[in-house]
Amino acid sequence: MNRQFDDVMLGSIELFCLAAEQGSFTAAAATASVTPAAVSRSVSRLEERLGVRLFTRTTRQMRLTEAGRGYFEQCRQALNQLVEAEREASGHQVAPSGLLRISAPTTYGHYRLLPLLPGFRERFPAVKVEVNVSNRNIDFAEEGYDLAIRARATADSSLVSRLLEDTPLVVVASPDYLRRHGTPVTLDELQAHECIQFELPSSGRAIPWLFRRDGQELELQTSGGYACSDDVTAGATLARHGAGVFQAYRFVVEEDLRAGRLVELLQDFGGRSRPHSLLYPHRRFVPLRVRAFVDYLLGQRSAQAAS
């Protein structure tokens, strides 16, 4: 095998990755204990070798180009794999460490993910966890996330998808609302009720409600004077205060159901669910911290489902 990289070029790749991660030549230089000029020379050396620009630089900011993003992702994986190979070859059983960045939707984040994180860090204290709790779809390569949780399946073949759970749906309303407007007992009767809408952030369209009737699954488009977007818990809050009828994940409203603040409706037409899956980039090398978290979260969900 012919040698492709000398020590200078390997060092340039490391400095380039540091600059990309930290968004600054100065910050990368401080981390590597070199001068900013040395980082700049290293990046220029790589750009000359590749024949492309890796960064766009202005007086105010520095951003990876499209070619730079792809090169950075590949280089970061390669460097991480070298570190992992060295650890395995030396026989050291190194604990997971580093920064783990996770994106999760608001409902699943608050009710499912966040309560489990203290247990993960107690087991792996060298891993720092950064969580973005929102319903926007993140870009793994552009934004540097390791993992994401989503409520709908993805057709992206570059991502690994691991099912966390099929999350049951329920239709609820407050006792006060039902006293004032009556209790719907058939799906057709929903047309006469104030059905709180949840609009998908990606499309602005109200999502249909899911039911099962006579063994057949169906989607029902409801209507009402209230519409929420981005956070499903807003619809549950409106329902709790008598605004109308709402379909929500059971885990969002189960405490309200137990306490009598909400009443479950149309149980004869229930049994539907939506999947929540754990997503991460499909690549040959998966960092140890990511593997540890995937195993931990899947194990926790399995244990909770069995209990």
Coordinates of all heavy atoms in Angstrom, one line a residue, residues 120-205:
F120 N -28.6 7.9 32.3 CA -27.5 7.7 31.3 C -26.2 8.4 31.8 O -25.1 7.7 31.7 CB -27.9 8.3 29.9 CG -26.8 8.2 28.9 CD1 -26.5 7.0 28.3 CD2 -26.1 9.4 28.5 CE1 -25.5 7.0 27.3 CE2 -25.1 9.3 27.6 CZ -24.8 8.1 27.0
R121 N -26.3 9.6 32.2 CA -25.0 10.3 32.6 C -24.5 9.7 33.9 O -23.3 9.8 34.2 CB -25.3 11.8 32.8 CG -25.5 12.5 31.5 CD -25.0 13.9 31.5 NE -23.5 14.0 31.7 CZ -22.9 14.6 32.7 NH1 -23.6 15.1 33.6 NH2 -21.6 14.6 32.7
E122 N -25.3 9.1 34.8 CA -24.8 8.5 36.0 C -24.0 7.2 35.5 O -23.0 6.9 36.2 CB -26.0 8.0 36.8 CG -25.5 7.4 38.2 CD -26.7 7.1 39.1 OE1 -27.9 7.5 38.8 OE2 -26.5 6.5 40.1
R123 N -24.4 6.6 34.5 CA -23.7 5.4 34.0 C -22.5 5.8 33.2 O -21.4 5.1 33.2 CB -24.6 4.6 33.1 CG -24.1 3.2 32.7 CD -25.1 2.4 31.9 NE -26.3 2.2 32.7 CZ -27.4 1.5 32.3 NH1 -27.3 0.9 31.1 NH2 -28.4 1.3 33.0
F124 N -22.6 6.9 32.4 CA -21.5 7.4 31.6 C -21.2 8.9 31.9 O -21.5 9.8 31.1 CB -21.8 7.2 30.1 CG -22.2 5.8 29.7 CD1 -23.5 5.5 29.4 CD2 -21.2 4.8 29.7 CE1 -23.8 4.2 29.1 CE2 -21.5 3.5 29.4 CZ -22.9 3.2 29.1
P125 N -20.6 9.2 33.0 CA -20.4 10.6 33.4 C -19.5 11.4 32.5 O -19.5 12.6 32.5 CB -19.8 10.4 34.8 CG -19.2 9.1 34.9 CD -20.0 8.2 34.0
A126 N -18.6 10.7 31.7 CA -17.7 11.4 30.8 C -18.4 11.9 29.5 O -17.8 12.7 28.7 CB -16.5 10.6 30.4
V127 N -19.7 11.6 29.3 CA -20.4 12.1 28.2 C -21.3 13.3 28.6 O -22.0 13.2 29.5 CB -21.4 11.0 27.6 CG1 -22.2 11.5 26.4 CG2 -20.6 9.7 27.2
K128 N -21.1 14.4 27.9 CA -21.9 15.6 28.1 C -23.0 15.5 27.0 O -22.8 15.1 25.9 CB -21.1 16.8 27.9 CG -20.0 17.0 28.9 CD -19.3 18.3 28.7 CE -18.2 18.6 29.7 NZ -17.4 19.8 29.6
V129 N -24.2 15.9 27.5 CA -25.4 15.7 26.7 C -26.0 17.1 26.4 O -26.3 17.9 27.3 CB -26.5 14.9 27.3 CG1 -27.7 14.7 26.4 CG2 -25.9 13.5 27.6
E130 N -26.2 17.4 25.1 CA -26.9 18.6 24.7 C -28.2 18.2 23.9 O -28.1 17.5 23.0 CB -26.0 19.4 23.7 CG -26.6 20.7 23.2 CD -25.7 21.4 22.2 OE1 -24.5 21.5 22.5 OE2 -26.2 21.8 21.1
V131 N -29.3 18.8 24.4 CA -30.6 18.4 23.8 C -31.3 19.6 23.2 O -31.4 20.6 23.9 CB -31.5 17.7 24.9 CG1 -32.8 17.2 24.2 CG2 -30.8 16.6 25.6
N132 N -31.7 19.4 22.0 CA -32.5 20.4 21.3 C -34.0 19.9 21.3 O -34.3 18.9 20.7 CB -32.1 20.7 19.9 CG -33.1 21.6 19.1 OD1 -33.9 21.1 18.4 ND2 -32.9 22.9 19.3
V133 N -34.8 20.5 22.1 CA -36.2 20.1 22.2 C -37.1 21.0 21.4 O -37.4 22.1 21.8 CB -36.7 20.1 23.7 CG1 -38.1 19.6 23.8 CG2 -35.8 19.2 24.5
S134 N -37.4 20.5 20.2 CA -38.3 21.3 19.3 C -38.8 20.3 18.2 O -38.3 19.2 18.1 CB -37.5 22.4 18.6 OG -36.6 22.0 17.7
N135 N -39.7 20.8 17.4 CA -40.3 19.9 16.4 C -39.8 20.2 15.0 O -40.3 19.7 14.0 CB -41.8 20.1 16.4 CG -42.4 19.5 17.7 OD1 -42.1 18.4 18.1 ND2 -43.3 20.3 18.3
R136 N -38.7 21.0 14.9 CA -38.2 21.2 13.5 C -37.2 20.1 13.2 O -36.6 19.4 14.0 CB -37.4 22.5 13.5 CG -36.1 22.5 14.2 CD -35.4 23.9 14.1 NE -34.1 23.8 14.8 CZ -32.9 23.4 14.3 NH1 -32.9 23.0 13.0 NH2 -31.8 23.3 15.0
N137 N -37.2 19.8 11.9 CA -36.3 18.7 11.4 C -34.9 19.3 11.2 O -34.7 20.2 10.5 CB -36.8 18.2 10.0 CG -38.1 17.5 10.2 OD1 -38.3 16.7 11.1 ND2 -39.0 17.6 9.2
I138 N -34.0 18.7 11.9 CA -32.6 19.1 11.9 C -31.8 18.4 10.7 O -32.3 17.4 10.2 CB -31.9 18.8 13.2 CG1 -31.9 17.3 13.6 CG2 -32.5 19.7 14.3 CD1 -30.8 16.5 13.2
D139 N -30.7 19.0 10.3 CA -29.8 18.5 9.3 C -28.6 18.0 10.0 O -27.8 18.7 10.6 CB -29.5 19.6 8.3 CG -28.6 19.1 7.2 OD1 -27.6 18.4 7.4 OD2 -29.0 19.4 6.0
F140 N -28.4 16.6 10.0 CA -27.3 16.0 10.7 C -26.0 16.6 10.3 O -25.2 16.9 11.2 CB -27.4 14.5 10.5 CG -28.4 13.8 11.4 CD1 -29.6 13.5 10.9 CD2 -28.1 13.4 12.7 CE1 -30.6 12.8 11.6 CE2 -29.0 12.8 13.5 CZ -30.3 12.5 12.9
A141 N -25.7 16.6 9.0 CA -24.4 17.0 8.5 C -24.2 18.5 8.8 O -23.1 18.9 9.2 CB -24.3 16.7 7.0
E142 N -25.2 19.3 8.5 CA -25.1 20.8 8.6 C -25.0 21.2 10.1 O -24.2 22.1 10.4 CB -26.3 21.5 8.0 CG -26.4 23.0 8.2 CD -25.4 23.7 7.2 OE1 -25.0 23.1 6.2 OE2 -25.1 24.9 7.5
E143 N -25.7 20.6 11.0 CA -25.8 21.1 12.4 C -25.0 20.2 13.4 O -25.0 20.6 14.5 CB -27.3 21.2 12.8 CG -28.1 22.1 11.9 CD -29.5 22.2 12.3 OE1 -29.8 22.7 13.4 OE2 -30.4 21.8 11.5
G144 N -24.5 19.1 12.9 CA -23.6 18.3 13.8 C -24.3 17.6 14.9 O -23.8 17.3 16.0
Y145 N -25.6 17.1 14.7 CA -26.3 16.3 15.7 C -25.9 14.9 15.5 O -25.6 14.4 14.4 CB -27.8 16.5 15.5 CG -28.3 17.7 16.1 CD1 -28.5 18.9 15.4 CD2 -28.7 17.8 17.5 CE1 -29.0 20.0 15.9 CE2 -29.1 18.9 18.1 CZ -29.3 20.1 17.3 OH -29.8 21.2 17.8
D146 N -25.9 14.1 16.6 CA -25.6 12.7 16.6 C -26.8 11.9 16.4 O -26.8 10.8 15.8 CB -24.9 12.3 17.9 CG -23.5 13.0 18.1 OD1 -22.7 12.7 17.3 OD2 -23.4 13.8 19.1
L147 N -27.9 12.3 17.1 CA -29.2 11.5 17.1 C -30.4 12.4 17.0 O -30.3 13.6 17.4 CB -29.2 10.7 18.4 CG -28.1 9.7 18.7 CD1 -27.9 9.5 20.2 CD2 -28.5 8.3 18.1
A148 N -31.5 11.9 16.5 CA -32.7 12.6 16.6 C -33.9 11.6 16.8 O -33.8 10.4 16.5 CB -33.0 13.3 15.2
I149 N -34.9 12.1 17.5 CA -36.1 11.3 17.7 C -37.2 11.9 16.9 O -37.4 13.1 17.0 CB -36.5 11.2 19.2 CG1 -35.4 10.4 20.0 CG2 -37.8 10.5 19.4 CD1 -35.5 10.5 21.5
R150 N -37.9 11.1 16.1 CA -39.0 11.6 15.3 C -40.3 10.7 15.4 O -40.2 9.5 15.6 CB -38.6 11.8 13.8 CG -37.6 12.9 13.6 CD -38.2 14.2 13.8 NE -37.3 15.4 13.8 CZ -36.7 15.9 14.9 NH1 -37.0 15.5 16.1 NH2 -35.9 16.9 14.7
A151 N -41.4 11.4 15.2 CA -42.7 10.7 15.3 C -43.2 10.1 14.0 O -44.2 9.5 14.0 CB -43.8 11.6 15.9
R152 N -42.5 10.3 13.0 CA -42.9 9.7 11.7 C -41.7 9.0 11.0 O -40.5 9.5 11.2 CB -43.5 10.8 10.8 CG -44.9 11.2 11.2 CD -45.4 12.4 10.5 NE -46.8 12.7 10.8 CZ -47.1 13.2 12.0 NH1 -46.2 13.6 12.9 NH2 -48.4 13.4 12.2
A153 N -42.0 8.0 10.3 CA -40.9 7.3 9.6 C -40.2 8.2 8.6 O -40.8 9.1 8.0 CB -41.5 6.0 8.9
T154 N -39.0 7.8 8.3 CA -38.2 8.6 7.3 C -37.8 7.7 6.1 O -37.6 6.5 6.3 CB -36.9 9.2 8.0 OG1 -36.1 9.8 7.0 CG2 -36.0 8.0 8.5
A155 N -37.8 8.4 5.0 CA -37.5 7.6 3.8 C -36.0 7.9 3.4 O -35.5 7.5 2.4 CB -38.4 8.1 2.6
D156 N -35.3 8.6 4.3 CA -33.9 8.9 4.1 C -33.0 7.7 4.3 O -32.8 7.2 5.4 CB -33.4 10.0 5.0 CG -32.1 10.6 4.6 OD1 -31.3 9.9 4.0 OD2 -31.8 11.8 5.1
S157 N -32.4 7.1 3.2 CA -31.6 5.9 3.3 C -30.3 6.1 4.0 O -29.6 5.2 4.3 CB -31.4 5.3 1.9 OG -30.7 6.2 1.1
S158 N -29.9 7.4 4.2 CA -28.6 7.7 4.9 C -28.8 7.6 6.4 O -27.8 7.8 7.1 CB -28.1 9.1 4.5 OG -28.9 10.1 5.0
L159 N -30.0 7.4 6.9 CA -30.2 7.3 8.3 C -30.6 5.9 8.8 O -31.4 5.3 8.1 CB -31.3 8.3 8.7 CG -31.0 9.8 8.4 CD1 -32.3 10.6 8.8 CD2 -29.8 10.3 9.2
V160 N -30.1 5.5 9.9 CA -30.5 4.3 10.6 C -31.7 4.7 11.4 O -31.7 5.7 12.1 CB -29.4 3.8 11.5 CG1 -29.9 2.5 12.2 CG2 -28.2 3.4 10.7
S161 N -32.8 3.9 11.4 CA -34.0 4.1 12.1 C -34.3 3.0 13.1 O -34.4 1.8 12.6 CB -35.2 4.3 11.2 OG -36.4 4.5 11.9
R162 N -34.4 3.3 14.4 CA -34.6 2.2 15.4 C -35.9 2.6 16.1 O -36.1 3.7 16.7 CB -33.5 2.2 16.4 CG -32.1 1.9 15.8 CD -32.0 0.5 15.3 NE -32.1 -0.5 16.3 CZ -31.1 -0.9 17.1 NH1 -29.9 -0.4 17.0 NH2 -31.3 -1.8 18.0
L163 N -36.9 1.7 16.0 CA -38.2 2.0 16.6 C -38.1 2.0 18.2 O -37.6 1.1 18.8 CB -39.2 0.9 16.2 CG -40.6 1.1 16.8 CD1 -41.3 2.3 16.3 CD2 -41.5 -0.1 16.5
L164 N -38.5 3.1 18.8 CA -38.6 3.2 20.2 C -39.9 2.7 20.8 O -39.9 1.9 21.7 CB -38.4 4.7 20.7 CG -37.0 5.3 20.4 CD1 -37.0 6.8 20.7 CD2 -35.9 4.6 21.3
E165 N -41.0 3.1 20.2 CA -42.3 2.6 20.6 C -43.4 3.1 19.7 O -43.2 4.1 19.0 CB -42.6 3.1 22.0 CG -42.7 4.6 22.2 CD -43.1 5.1 23.6 OE1 -44.1 4.6 24.1 OE2 -42.3 5.9 24.1
D166 N -44.5 2.3 19.6 CA -45.7 2.7 19.0 C -46.5 3.4 20.1 O -46.9 2.8 21.0 CB -46.4 1.6 18.4 CG -45.9 1.1 17.0 OD1 -45.7 2.0 16.2 OD2 -45.7 -0.1 16.8
T167 N -46.7 4.7 19.9 CA -47.3 5.5 21.0 C -48.8 5.6 20.8 O -49.3 6.2 19.9 CB -46.6 7.0 20.9 OG1 -45.2 6.9 20.8 CG2 -47.0 7.7 22.1
P168 N -49.5 5.1 21.8 CA -51.0 5.1 21.7 C -51.6 6.5 21.7 O -51.1 7.4 22.4 CB -51.4 4.3 22.9 CG -50.2 3.5 23.3 CD -49.1 4.3 23.0
L169 N -52.7 6.6 20.9 CA -53.4 7.9 20.8 C -54.7 7.8 21.6 O -55.4 6.7 21.6 CB -53.7 8.3 19.4 CG -52.4 8.6 18.5 CD1 -52.8 8.5 17.1 CD2 -51.9 10.0 18.9
V170 N -55.2 8.8 22.2 CA -56.5 8.9 22.9 C -57.2 10.2 22.5 O -56.6 11.2 22.3 CB -56.4 8.7 24.4 CG1 -55.9 7.3 24.8 CG2 -55.5 9.8 25.0
V171 N -58.5 10.2 22.6 CA -59.3 11.4 22.4 C -59.9 11.8 23.8 O -60.4 10.9 24.5 CB -60.5 11.1 21.4 CG1 -61.4 12.4 21.3 CG2 -60.0 10.7 20.1
V172 N -59.7 13.0 24.1 CA -60.0 13.5 25.5 C -60.8 14.8 25.4 O -60.7 15.5 24.5 CB -58.8 13.6 26.3 CG1 -58.0 12.3 26.5 CG2 -57.8 14.7 25.7
A173 N -61.5 15.1 26.5 CA -62.1 16.4 26.8 C -62.3 16.5 28.3 O -62.2 15.5 29.0 CB -63.5 16.5 26.1
S174 N -62.5 17.7 28.7 CA -62.7 18.0 30.2 C -64.1 17.7 30.6 O -65.0 17.8 29.8 CB -62.3 19.4 30.5 OG -63.3 20.3 30.0
P175 N -64.3 17.3 31.9 CA -65.7 17.1 32.4 C -66.6 18.3 32.1 O -67.8 18.2 31.8 CB -65.5 16.8 33.8 CG -64.1 16.2 33.9 CD -63.3 17.0 32.9
D176 N -66.0 19.5 32.3 CA -66.7 20.8 32.1 C -67.2 20.9 30.7 O -68.4 21.2 30.4 CB -65.9 22.0 32.5 CG -66.6 23.3 32.2 OD1 -67.6 23.5 32.8 OD2 -66.1 24.1 31.4
Y177 N -66.4 20.6 29.7 CA -66.8 20.7 28.3 C -67.9 19.7 28.0 O -68.9 20.0 27.3 CB -65.6 20.4 27.4 CG -66.0 20.4 25.9 CD1 -66.0 21.5 25.2 CD2 -66.3 19.2 25.3 CE1 -66.4 21.5 23.8 CE2 -66.7 19.1 24.0 CZ -66.8 20.3 23.3 OH -67.2 20.2 22.0
L178 N -67.8 18.5 28.5 CA -68.8 17.5 28.3 C -70.1 17.8 28.9 O -71.2 17.5 28.4 CB -68.3 16.1 28.8 CG -67.0 15.6 28.1 CD1 -66.5 14.3 28.7 CD2 -67.2 15.4 26.6
R179 N -70.1 18.5 30.1 CA -71.4 18.9 30.7 C -72.1 19.9 29.8 O -73.3 20.0 29.7 CB -71.1 19.5 32.1 CG -70.9 18.5 33.2 CD -71.0 19.1 34.6 NE -69.9 20.1 34.8 CZ -68.7 19.7 35.3 NH1 -68.4 18.5 35.6 NH2 -67.8 20.6 35.5
R180 N -71.3 20.8 29.2 CA -71.9 21.9 28.4 C -72.3 21.4 27.0 O -73.2 22.0 26.4 CB -70.9 23.1 28.3 CG -70.7 23.8 29.6 CD -69.8 25.0 29.5 NE -68.3 24.6 29.4 CZ -67.6 24.8 28.3 NH1 -68.2 25.4 27.2 NH2 -66.3 24.5 28.3
H181 N -71.5 20.5 26.4 CA -71.7 20.1 25.0 C -72.2 18.7 24.8 O -72.4 18.3 23.6 CB -70.5 20.4 24.2 CG -70.1 21.9 24.3 ND1 -70.7 22.8 23.5 CD2 -69.2 22.5 25.0 CE1 -70.1 24.0 23.7 NE2 -69.2 23.9 24.6
G182 N -72.2 17.9 25.8 CA -72.5 16.5 25.7 C -71.3 15.6 25.3 O -70.2 16.2 24.9
T183 N -71.5 14.3 25.4 CA -70.4 13.4 25.1 C -70.6 12.7 23.8 O -71.6 12.0 23.6 CB -70.3 12.3 26.2 OG1 -70.1 13.0 27.5 CG2 -69.2 11.3 26.0
P184 N -69.6 12.8 22.8 CA -69.8 12.1 21.5 C -69.5 10.6 21.8 O -68.6 10.2 22.5 CB -68.7 12.7 20.7 CG -67.6 13.2 21.7 CD -68.4 13.7 22.9
V185 N -70.4 9.8 21.1 CA -70.3 8.4 21.3 C -70.0 7.7 19.9 O -69.7 6.5 19.9 CB -71.5 7.7 22.0 CG1 -71.6 8.2 23.4 CG2 -72.8 8.0 21.2
T186 N -70.2 8.4 18.8 CA -69.8 7.9 17.5 C -68.9 8.9 16.8 O -68.8 10.1 17.2 CB -71.1 7.7 16.6 OG1 -71.6 9.0 16.3 CG2 -72.1 6.9 17.3
L187 N -68.2 8.5 15.8 CA -67.3 9.3 15.1 C -68.0 10.4 14.3 O -67.6 11.6 14.2 CB -66.4 8.5 14.1 CG -65.5 7.5 14.7 CD1 -64.7 6.8 13.6 CD2 -64.7 8.0 15.8
D188 N -69.2 10.1 13.9 CA -70.0 11.2 13.2 C -70.4 12.3 14.1 O -70.5 13.5 13.6 CB -71.3 10.5 12.6 CG -71.0 9.6 11.4 OD1 -69.9 9.7 10.8 OD2 -71.9 8.7 11.2
E189 N -70.6 12.0 15.4 CA -70.9 13.1 16.3 C -69.8 14.1 16.6 O -70.1 15.2 17.1 CB -71.4 12.5 17.6 CG -72.7 11.7 17.5 CD -73.1 11.1 18.9 OE1 -72.6 11.5 19.9 OE2 -74.0 10.2 18.8
L190 N -68.6 13.8 16.2 CA -67.5 14.7 16.3 C -67.7 16.0 15.5 O -67.2 17.0 15.8 CB -66.2 14.1 15.9 CG -65.5 13.1 17.0 CD1 -64.3 12.5 16.4 CD2 -65.2 13.9 18.3
Q191 N -68.5 15.8 14.4 CA -68.7 17.0 13.6 C -69.4 18.1 14.3 O -69.3 19.3 13.9 CB -69.6 16.6 12.3 CG -68.8 15.6 11.4 CD -69.7 15.1 10.3 OE1 -70.8 15.7 10.0 NE2 -69.2 14.2 9.5
A192 N -70.2 17.8 15.3 CA -70.9 18.8 16.1 C -70.1 19.3 17.3 O -70.6 20.1 18.1 CB -72.2 18.2 16.6
H193 N -68.8 18.9 17.4 CA -68.0 19.3 18.6 C -66.9 20.2 18.1 O -66.4 20.2 17.0 CB -67.5 18.1 19.3 CG -68.6 17.4 20.2 ND1 -68.7 17.7 21.5 CD2 -69.5 16.5 19.8 CE1 -69.7 17.0 22.0 NE2 -70.2 16.3 21.0
E194 N -66.4 20.9 19.1 CA -65.2 21.8 18.9 C -63.9 20.9 19.0 O -63.5 20.5 20.1 CB -65.1 22.8 20.1 CG -64.1 23.9 19.9 CD -64.3 24.8 18.8 OE1 -65.3 25.6 18.8 OE2 -63.5 24.9 17.8
C195 N -63.4 20.5 17.9 CA -62.2 19.7 17.8 C -61.0 20.5 17.7 O -60.8 21.2 16.7 CB -62.3 18.7 16.7 SG -63.7 17.5 16.8
I196 N -60.1 20.5 18.7 CA -58.9 21.3 18.7 C -57.9 20.7 17.7 O -57.6 19.5 17.7 CB -58.3 21.2 20.1 CG1 -59.3 21.8 21.1 CG2 -57.0 22.0 20.1 CD1 -58.9 21.5 22.6
Q197 N -57.4 21.5 16.8 CA -56.5 21.1 15.7 C -55.1 21.2 16.1 O -54.7 22.2 16.8 CB -56.8 22.0 14.4 CG -58.3 21.9 14.0 CD -58.7 20.6 13.6 OE1 -58.2 20.0 12.6 NE2 -59.7 20.0 14.3
F198 N -54.3 20.3 15.6 CA -52.8 20.4 15.7 C -52.3 20.5 14.2 O -52.5 19.6 13.4 CB -52.2 19.3 16.4 CG -50.7 19.4 16.5 CD1 -50.1 20.4 17.3 CD2 -49.8 18.6 15.7 CE1 -48.7 20.5 17.4 CE2 -48.5 18.7 15.8 CZ -47.9 19.7 16.6
E199 N -51.5 21.6 13.9 CA -51.0 21.8 12.6 C -49.5 21.4 12.5 O -48.7 21.8 13.4 CB -51.2 23.2 12.2 CG -52.6 23.7 12.1 CD -52.8 25.1 11.8 OE1 -51.8 25.8 11.8 OE2 -53.9 25.5 11.5
L200 N -49.2 20.6 11.5 CA -47.8 20.2 11.3 C -46.9 21.4 11.0 O -47.3 22.2 10.1 CB -47.7 19.2 10.2 CG -48.1 17.8 10.6 CD1 -48.1 16.9 9.3 CD2 -47.2 17.2 11.6
P201 N -45.8 21.7 11.7 CA -45.0 22.8 11.4 C -44.4 22.8 9.9 O -44.3 23.8 9.3 CB -43.8 22.7 12.4 CG -44.4 21.8 13.5 CD -45.3 20.9 12.8
S202 N -44.2 21.6 9.4 CA -43.6 21.5 8.1 C -44.6 21.9 7.0 O -44.2 22.4 5.9 CB -43.2 20.1 7.8 OG -44.3 19.2 7.9
S203 N -45.9 21.7 7.2 CA -46.9 22.0 6.1 C -48.0 23.0 6.5 O -48.6 23.6 5.6 CB -47.6 20.7 5.7 OG -48.4 20.2 6.8
G204 N -48.2 23.2 7.8 CA -49.2 24.1 8.3 C -50.6 23.5 8.2 O -51.6 24.2 8.4
R205 N -50.7 22.2 7.8 CA -52.0 21.5 7.7 C -52.3 20.8 9.0 O -51.4 20.2 9.7 CB -51.9 20.5 6.5 CG -51.7 21.2 5.2 CD -51.7 20.1 4.1 NE -51.5 20.8 2.8 CZ -51.3 20.1 1.7 NH1 -51.4 18.7 1.7 NH2 -51.2 20.7 0.5

